[in-house]
Amino acid sequence: RLQAQDTRLGVKKGLIRGVLAAGVVLGGGGAAVHSSVVRARQSEHLKIRDIQVRGAKALSEEEIKSASGVKVGDPLLGVSPEDVTARILKHPALAEAGVRRVLPETLVISVVERVPVALAPSTEGLLGVDAQGAAFPAGHDILRLALPVVRNLPLKDLRADPEAWQDSWAVLRAAEKKSLDVSELLWERDEVSLVTLDGDRVRIRPGDAGVLGRARWVLDQERAAGRRGLEIDARGEDMVVVRDGHPAGAGAKTSTGRNTGPVAAQGGGA
């Protein structure tokens, strides 16, 4: 019985020595792996030789590369894709970005630019505004898009005031659906005004973009009669008032308005 116990003790001691020995080997292997990673990161064979930019349209590739903070010659494995992405997204004209390393020497940067749906004057110049209300510096190419200009749009840290932008964007979308060619939108707390490319002005209440259908119907009737430069006041509950010679500028005169009465039943509904 004592001999059997000694045998079991011997087996246990042998197992313990084996585990300890394996630990030493694995620990040494781990250190070796870590050392290999460090050497790989510093290796001349894994330096960045090519930085590719995909998705750039309005922005230049050089501008995006500059925003990344990475340059040719940097260690490829020493670049953190997450950190580079965060730096790139600080550019106000970019909505999305992604970065990946491609062995042995390439860094690929993919971006999605913000798409402007309107322009907004600011102390920093003319800004583009996307559908989410994010504002960003507008390049010269953006002026070719003939986007509507939204005036009086409150901006803070390149973000439009949510209430003001929600009203403005809803009106611009409704105007597009009704084929109203808008050149300017003037936002105020108690009124939203549209100026068309033909020089007509449409006035509605904030949050009431649905009345643009009635306003467009009245405008069509007036244009068919040969009248231009009108003010279409659709702020009433169930009527649209038309004035000749709308006050497009300071001191402009208006004539006596014509009350069109309820027009929704005449095909002018939203």
Side-chain angles (χ1 to χ4, degrees), residues 115-161:
V115 179
V117 297
L119 303 176
S122 73
T123 55
E124 302 175 5
L126 199 60
L127 301 177
V129 185
D130 71 3
Q132 287 70 46
F136 51 94
H140 295 294
D141 291 341
I142 203 173
L143 300 178
R144 302 175 185 174
L145 300 178
L147 296 172
V149 176
V150 180
R151 301 191 181 278
N152 288 359
L153 183 66
L155 294 169
K156 183 178 181 181
D157 297 329
L158 292 180
R159 296 292 305 186
D161 175 82

Side-chain angles (χ1 to χ4, degrees), residues 13-198:
K13 290 178 181 178
L15 289 173
I16 292 172
R17 284 195 297 270
V19 169
L20 291 175
V24 170
V25 172
L26 290 175
V33 171
H34 175 72
S35 177
S36 298
V37 170
V38 171
R39 287 197 300 271
R41 286 179 174 174
Q42 298 173 345
S43 173
E44 288 292 334
H45 300 292
L46 291 177
K47 293 290 183 71
I48 296 175
R49 305 298 181 191
D50 183 25
I51 301 176
Q52 298 179 6
V53 177
R54 300 175 182 175
K57 297 177 181 177
L59 298 177
S60 68
E61 292 188 4
E62 291 305 318
E63 192 171 0
I64 294 173
K65 290 178 182 179
S66 176
S68 75
V70 180
K71 60 184 181 298
V72 171
D74 289 346
L76 180 62
L77 296 182
V79 171
S80 166
E82 293 78 11
D83 291 346
V84 176
T85 299
R87 288 197 294 268
I88 293 172
L89 285 177
K90 290 181 180 179
H91 196 296
L94 294 176
E96 300 176 21
V99 176
R100 62 188 178 93
R101 298 171 297 199
V102 180
L103 295 175
E105 57 186 18
T106 303
L107 189 73
V108 179
I109 301 173
S110 301
V111 297
V112 176
E113 298 180 2
R114 297 191 183 280
V115 179
V117 297
L119 303 176
S122 73
T123 55
E124 302 175 5
L126 199 60
L127 301 177
V129 185
D130 71 3
Q132 287 70 46
F136 51 94
H140 295 294
D141 291 341
I142 203 173
L143 300 178
R144 302 175 185 174
L145 300 178
L147 296 172
V149 176
V150 180
R151 301 191 181 278
N152 288 359
L153 183 66
L155 294 169
K156 183 178 181 181
D157 297 329
L158 292 180
R159 296 292 305 186
D161 175 82
E163 179 185 358
W165 179 246
Q166 184 177 5
D167 287 342
S168 302
W169 182 222
V171 170
L172 289 175
R173 284 183 296 171
E176 184 178 11
K177 289 180 180 178
K178 299 303 177 183
S179 300
L180 276 171
D181 296 324
V182 178
S183 63
E184 293 187 17
L185 181 148
L186 178 63
W187 182 87
E188 297 177 349
R189 291 289 175 185
D190 57 351
E191 178 182 327
V192 176
S193 298
L194 299 175
V195 177
T196 70
L197 294 177
D198 292 330

Side-chain angles (χ1 to χ4, degrees), residues 200-203 229-233 235 241-247 254:
D200 302 302
R201 180 180 180 182
V202 180
R203 303 171 67 184
L230 304 172
E231 178 181 292
I232 309 297
D233 190 341
R235 293 175 297 169
V241 177
V242 180
R243 299 182 180 90
D244 297 322
H246 75 80
T254 61

